[in-house]
Amino acid sequence: MCGIFAYIGNREALSLLIAALKRLEYRGYDSAGVGIYGAPQLKVCKKVGKVTNLEDASAAAADLSGTAGIAHTRWATHGKPSDVNSHPHTTEDVKIAVVHNGVIENYATLKRQLASKGYVFVSETDTELLAHLVQDIKKQMPDVAWGEVVALALQLVEGAYGVVFLFSDEPDLLIGARKGSPLILGVGSGEYMLASDASAIIEHTQDVIYLRDGELVELKRSGYKIRDLSKVTQALRAEGSPRSKDGSPNEENPIVRLEMSLEQIEKAGYPHFMLKEIMDQPNALRNAMRGRMHRLENSWQIKLGGLEKVPEGNPGGRSPLDRMASAKRIIIAACGTSAHSGMIAKYAMENLAELPVEVEYASEFRYRRPLIFPEDVIIAISQSGETADTLEAIRIAKESQALTIGVVNVVGSSIARATDAGVYLHAGPEIGVASTKAFTGQVVAVLMIALQLAVQRK
């Protein structure tokens, strides 16, 4: 459960990077590191163990000043926990540094190819090859801008990644990209951040952009530019142009407001986050029902606005709720704890609404050939809204023209944007690894859906 944070602006980066890593500690990790802009070489410090170990080591380092940097907490996958295997990873000349979440599935093949060209690997990780790969393409195409170089490199990579690159010859540039691993852009005043989790950003800004799968973002102090990785490489090959074109931010990926506050991600006097979130369940459940449960004279009424609105551009069409009520089958796709709330949803929908419901682990669903029909409805349940397997299940459902419904906690997340309609939990940020209030919020949400479907089918 690795964590990423990157910063570019006018403030000293080191203290911001360390503070952000502390915000990400709840995710679990075994080592941490920072990389800060410097010339002719980048400045890197990494330590196995707690972030406090890194904090002590960085305080003792000769010079880690700078206003652009990247940081990472690592959970070992390729290679044991050690200083050398910690991120950031760099090229041999320390002119390119990268932090990475995810797994590069074809790293062994790429590593052999780069080693045959004389590149020297010092770690056991799959991440190090990304720095060498980008450097190798830059050597072959020295006039091509870094954004295009990174895009070309990532097109050769198979697997999942959330990455951020830092370059010694570009004091005003960070490049991030994602595929199957979340990456969030924080938009501040004259400063920008990239993070794998909103909790690392919230103390700096509430304005964020959730990067979509296959997107690349270039950050400068003057602004940002988001582009589609495949379109960047296609344009480069088609035009044969080494120059990067200027472009405005991707208007189709809007800035959204984080529905959390700094106070919500503090322990508030509790010994740990899990206990705090257990005690916060009554409030979270009230938020899940607020504005949706209405007391009438002799009964209650449920209103789920996210499911009752007819899609724009379809006047006279049917609402998602109507389509769910007449569905031939409902398939619930989820992972982990969310799959357990899906099982409760199955019980409720079959008993109350008399609809056939199947619950699928999204991690299994995506790797077989499920038979899905346009009359089916796929409900995707996820706390974060960024679960890679569940997102893939949505993509498969959309290919079959099935209706997709999201039940998520994080407003503006990838699943919330990818689905046709949905219900937010409004449970607030969940820091504890073991789900508590998000799970009970999911249960309340699916019960409200089941009750509304039962009324709709009378």
Side-chain angles (χ1 to χ4, degrees), residues 57-76:
S58 60
D63 179 22
L64 286 177
S65 62
T67 56
I70 56 180
H72 190 266
T73 52
R74 174 181 185 252
W75 186 289

Side-chain angles (χ1 to χ4, degrees), residues 133-367:
L133 184 60
V134 167
Q135 186 177 56
D136 185 58
I137 293 175
K138 184 66 171 177
K139 285 180 178 178
Q140 297 175 50
M141 308 173 76
D143 294 327
V144 173
W146 281 116
E148 280 74 7
V149 169
V150 170
L152 288 168
L154 293 177
Q155 291 293 91
L156 300 174
V157 168
E158 297 173 7
Y161 55 78
V163 292
V164 186
F165 289 88
L166 179 68
F167 310 93
S168 67
D169 66 348
E170 286 283 359
D172 190 28
L173 179 67
L174 292 177
I175 294 178
R178 68 157 290 190
K179 177 187 174 185
S181 187
L183 199 62
I184 305 167
L185 166 61
V187 180
S189 178
E191 59 182 9
Y192 298 91
M193 295 127 259
L194 287 169
S196 55
D197 190 296
S199 62
I201 291 178
I202 187 63
E203 65 181 289
H204 306 294
T205 180
Q206 285 188 295
D207 294 328
V208 300
I209 294 173
Y210 290 88
L211 295 184
R212 298 188 181 97
D213 252 19
E215 285 188 333
L216 175 146
V217 60
E218 297 179 40
L219 302 184
K220 297 187 176 183
R221 291 172 180 82
S222 58
Y224 63 90
K225 180 165 60 177
I226 298 173
R227 295 185 287 172
D228 185 281
L229 277 166
S230 60
K231 290 180 181 178
V232 172
T233 55
Q234 287 170 10
L236 187 62
R237 292 182 181 120
E239 298 171 13
S241 170
R243 299 296 177 189
S244 172
K245 286 184 165 64
D246 290 334
S248 59
N250 186 345
E251 297 297 338
E252 296 179 358
N253 200 343
I255 294 174
V256 297
R257 214 53 191 163
L258 285 175
E259 282 198 351
M260 69 165 71
S261 65
L262 191 58
E263 292 74 21
Q264 287 179 302
I265 58 172
E266 301 285 359
K267 293 178 186 175
Y270 289 97
H272 48 74
F273 282 110
M274 187 173 179
L275 181 58
K276 177 194 174 188
E277 288 159 9
I278 288 172
M279 302 306 292
D280 191 41
Q281 284 179 107
N283 182 56
L285 299 187
R286 278 192 293 270
N287 288 338
M289 292 183 282
R290 182 174 286 116
R292 294 166 173 168
M293 298 282 292
H294 301 278
R295 184 71 180 266
L296 303 180
E297 187 175 345
N298 297 311
S299 63
W300 286 83
Q301 182 183 54
I302 297 173
K303 295 287 288 182
L304 300 173
L307 300 182
E308 295 175 9
K309 183 180 178 183
V310 175
E312 291 182 11
N314 189 21
R318 301 171 65 202
S319 70
L321 190 64
D322 285 338
R323 291 180 62 185
M324 292 174 73
S326 61
K328 296 286 181 67
R329 176 180 58 162
I330 291 177
I331 301 172
I332 296 173
C335 294
T337 301
S338 296
H340 291 286
S341 64
M343 294 174 192
I344 295 172
K346 172 183 170 69
Y347 182 88
M349 290 178 186
E350 288 185 340
N351 280 272
L352 297 173
E354 298 182 348
L355 280 166
V357 180
E358 298 175 9
V359 181
E360 296 269 4
Y361 276 95
S363 54
E364 300 295 328
F365 183 81
R366 65 176 294 189
Y367 287 115

Side-chain angles (χ1 to χ4, degrees), residues 1 9 31 34 52 59 109 121 161 182 215-216 306 322 341 360 387 400 405 416 433-434:
M1 298 180 71
S31 55
V34 296
T52 51
T109 301
F121 288 79
Y161 55 78
E215 285 188 333
L216 175 146
D322 285 338
S341 64
E360 296 269 4
T387 311
S400 300
I405 303 295
V433 174

Side-chain angles (χ1 to χ4, degrees), residues 392-451:
E392 185 64 16
I394 294 168
R395 186 191 66 78
I396 294 169
K398 282 185 168 292
E399 285 180 351
S400 300
Q401 299 181 321
L403 176 68
T404 57
I405 303 295
V407 178
V408 301
N409 191 32
V410 180
V411 175
S413 57
S414 296
I415 289 176
R417 292 179 297 165
T419 47
D420 298 309
V423 175
Y424 283 122
L425 306 182
H426 300 301
E430 188 171 68
I431 305 299
V433 174
S435 184
T436 53
K437 63 179 183 176
F439 170 70
T440 48
Q442 288 171 351
V443 171
V444 166
V446 298
L447 288 177
M448 287 192 294
I449 294 172
L451 287 165

